């Protein structure tokens, strides 16, 4: 482990990513001289703290320096939290020179009277988290003895860190690591990619180690509940907390093969427990969360993962990476990007007559995407998340920790809840979602059909313009459109047996015949299946066969282009010509059927395989039309351009949203035909007020300067929407 940190230091000697600062607030009458002498005694005891690391024969060696005094000069910062925070940040960001040493710096500041802040700043090459606790406890013991005029009460150390390093090297070189290596190779086989959670920004090509910290306090009640759950299950709080973390990561990532990193103390012999040094190692904890397990099952699987990994933890992580050789990537760590640990941080130096506590520090670095530490304190748990600022915003990490607490709360209340049902949205956010953002429920006529809405509108505005074709001099009023569509509907019902559940294919060019045919099938009680006459014959034949349409509505001029093996045909243009003098009453009895009957079946494009018919009921369609009543005003729907292919569902909006609102449907082959339409002029009997299109078509229309001044609303979909196009559209004086 020290070799790896030394190598990383050579690559970037100015980096502070492996700095380990410890800030202690001390209140009371501090004896600064005694504190300095106490620190000197602790450094004397632990040779690694008075070492430097130099290169010899192409590799690093640790050179112990003789003991020396550590003078502590008090820096008066003056009152104010800002000055203290700036001082702490500067200390944490100052790099080490490993070649000359020292690997421990001590600084003491006095922000105010009888309040000091001691910063013990170490490099990770000489310590780990356990070492900090050893250092602080020994500092308190020696300080008390000095004040009493007594010698140090600490017994001599049986070994030094250098002894451990030599022993470990002997073990590794002796081949005793083959068994754990084989186990890890099998355990990590098939780990396709490291587990990640969705980020706010793309991952940079090279990891920068820029980071920050977010704090989150867990309530005392939940803290006790988690401890009690662990006791009841015969597990450690670490296992329960890790199980919750893995469950949350699974929910966030969508993966059931979850691998995260966790620390291992590395102190497998009792004589190592009182040493300061870099003993800590890293375990890859991989757990299978498939089959939607309960939280209790997740905890059991996690416990098994932890126990097995610890049993094979003699193999240093660096040797594991070296042996398995995962694909290296300068943008991420091998095997995992998420790290999790639980620390008991109740310890503080016991300095006689003084009150001490640890201060949280943000060193501005992050070794992983996300490193979550749970501090298990007697007054409640506190969570600290160190995160990569290249990837995440602080608000995102705060939400993640809120989701973690929410999931843990539910797990404590009911450990039998399954992974898929464990909540991850905090109650406050859920209320915001349900009561504000997602409070979109609106009532609509659930038992009506499209034909009912059309009939009601035709009766209300029989003489209003309903349809405008290429010849603006020929206006279709609601009365005329109503008569044509109901007359054809009667023919469909009485002459061809069309009714609820019966599919009728439509293959007509973009003319009044097409709109009449669509409405006629709706009025008959059947469901229409749109076909585009420009489609290849093979596509038309497939759709007719797959839909098993009873009847095909078309036009005489298209008959020769249609497949020979087709259903019976009715030419809509011939029927309307023969029935031109027939006057249909504006109000009549509705066709049989209900809202659950099919209204239309539209076939997908088939870009991913065989086209599939998507069946839409009247209730579905009425819900969409009812939504449009709240989303658009009467003025916006006064003249809706019908330029979308009838084989796409947007055409349903263009026709029925307008005709159930008293607006006019304005026919066009495509959007770029708009400038040539008579309806595009302000003087037209019914000008275009709303268009639906794709961004590329709108860009071309704007480039030519042909967006009519009458257009108030442009609906865009289907493609990426560039910001400059939005700004260009809003520059049009009529677009709202």
């Amino acid at each position: 482990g020290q070799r790896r940190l030394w190598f990383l230091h050579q690559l970037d000697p100015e980096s502070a990513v492996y700095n380990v600062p410890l800030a202690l607030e001390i209140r009371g009458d501090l004896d600064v001289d005694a504190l300095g002498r106490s620190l000197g005694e602790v450094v004397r005891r632990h040779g690694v703290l008075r070492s430097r690391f130099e290169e010899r024969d192409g590799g690093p060696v640790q050179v112990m320096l003789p003991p020396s005094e550590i003078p502590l000069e008090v820096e008066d910062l003056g009152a104010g939290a800002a000055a203290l925070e700036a001082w702490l940040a500067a200390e944490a960001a100052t790099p080490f020179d490993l070649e000359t040493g020292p690997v421990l710096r001590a600084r003491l500041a006095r922000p105010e009277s009888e309040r000091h802040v001691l910063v013990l700043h170490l490099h990770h090459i000489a310590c780990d988290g356990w070492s900090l606790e050893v250092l602080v406890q020994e500092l308190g013991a020696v300080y008390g003895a000095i004040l009493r005029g007594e010698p140090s009460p600490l017994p001599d150390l049986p070994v030094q860190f250098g002894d451990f390093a030599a022993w470990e090297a002997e073990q590794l070189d002796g081949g005793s690591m083959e068994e754990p290596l084989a186990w890890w190779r099998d355990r990590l086989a098939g780990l396709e990619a490291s587990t990640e959670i969705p980020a706010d920004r793309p991952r940079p090509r090279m990891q920068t180690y820029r980071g920050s910290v977010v704090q989150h306090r867990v309530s005392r009640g939940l803290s006790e509940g988690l401890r009690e759950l662990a006791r009841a299950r015969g597990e450690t709080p670490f296992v329960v907390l890790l199980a919750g973390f893995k469950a949350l990561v699974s929910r966030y990532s969508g993966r059931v093969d979850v691998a995260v990193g966790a620390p291992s103390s590395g102190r497998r012999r009792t004589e190592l427990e009182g040493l300061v040094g870099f003993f800590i190692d890293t375990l890859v904890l991989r757990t299978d969360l498939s089959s939607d397990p309960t939280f209790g099952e997740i905890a059991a699987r996690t416990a098994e993962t932890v126990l097995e990994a610890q049993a094979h933890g003699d193999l240093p992580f660096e040797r594991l990476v070296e042996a398995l050789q995962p694909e290296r990537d300068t943008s991420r760590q091998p095997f995992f990007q998420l790290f999790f640990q639980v620390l008991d941080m109740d310890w503080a130096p016991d300095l006689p007559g003084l009150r001490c506590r640890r201060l949280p520090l943000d060193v501005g670095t992050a070794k992983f995407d996300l490193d979550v530490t749970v501090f298990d304190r007697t007054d409640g748990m506190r969570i600290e998340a160190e995160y990569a600022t290249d990837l995440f915003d602080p608000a995102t990490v705060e939400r993640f920790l809120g989701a973690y607490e929410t999931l843990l709360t539910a797990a404590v209340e009911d450990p039998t809840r399954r992974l898929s049902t464990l909540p991850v949205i905090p109650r406050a956010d859920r209320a915001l979602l349900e009561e504000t953002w997602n409070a979109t429920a609106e009532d609509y006529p659930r038992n009506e059909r499209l034909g009912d809405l059309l009939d009601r509108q035709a009766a209300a505005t029989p003489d209003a313009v309903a349809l405008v074709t290429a010849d603006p001099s020929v206006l279709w009023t609601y009365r005329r459109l109503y008569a044509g569509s109901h007359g054809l509907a009667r023919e469909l019902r009485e002459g061809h047996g069309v009714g609820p559940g019966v599919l009728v294919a439509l293959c007509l060019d973009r003319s009044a015949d097409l709109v009449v045919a669509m409405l006629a099938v709706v009025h008959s009680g059947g469901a229409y299946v749109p076909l585009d006459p420009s489609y290849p014959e093979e596509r038309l034949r497939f759709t007719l066969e797959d839909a098993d349409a009873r009847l095909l509505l078309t036009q005489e001029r298209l008959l020769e282009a249609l497949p020979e093996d087709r259903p019976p045909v009715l030419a809509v243009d011939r029927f309307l010509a023969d029935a031109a003098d027939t006057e249909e009453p504006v109000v009549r009895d509705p066709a049989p059927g209900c809202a659950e009957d099919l209204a239309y079946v539209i076939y997908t494009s088939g870009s991913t395989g065989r086209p599939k018919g998507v069946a839409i009921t009247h209730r579905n369609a009425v819900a969409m039309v009812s939504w449009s009543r709240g989303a658009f005003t009467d003025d916006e729907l006064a003249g809706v351009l019908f330029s979308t292919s009838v084989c796409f569902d947007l055409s349903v909006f263009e026709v029925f949203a307008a005709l159930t609102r008293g607006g006019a449907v304005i026919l066009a082959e495509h959007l770029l035909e708009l400038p040539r339409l008579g309806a595009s002029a302000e003087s037209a009997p019914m000008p275009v007020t709303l268009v639906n299109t794709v961004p590329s078509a709108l860009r071309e229309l704007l480039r030519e300067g042909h967006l009519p001044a009458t257009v108030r609303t442009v609906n865009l979909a289907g493609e990426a929407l560039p910001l400059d196009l939005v700004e260009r559209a809003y520059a049009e004086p009529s677009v709202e």
Side-chain angles (χ1 to χ4, degrees), residues 13 129 137 189 231 290 324 371 459 715 722:
Q137 289 176 342
R231 283 192 294 268
S290 61
L324 299 189
D371 181 348
N715 292 330

Side-chain angles (χ1 to χ4, degrees), residues 85-104:
E85 290 178 4
W87 182 76
L88 289 173
E91 284 298 311
T94 303
F96 285 88
D97 184 344
L98 296 185
E99 185 172 0
T100 61
V103 291
L104 179 147

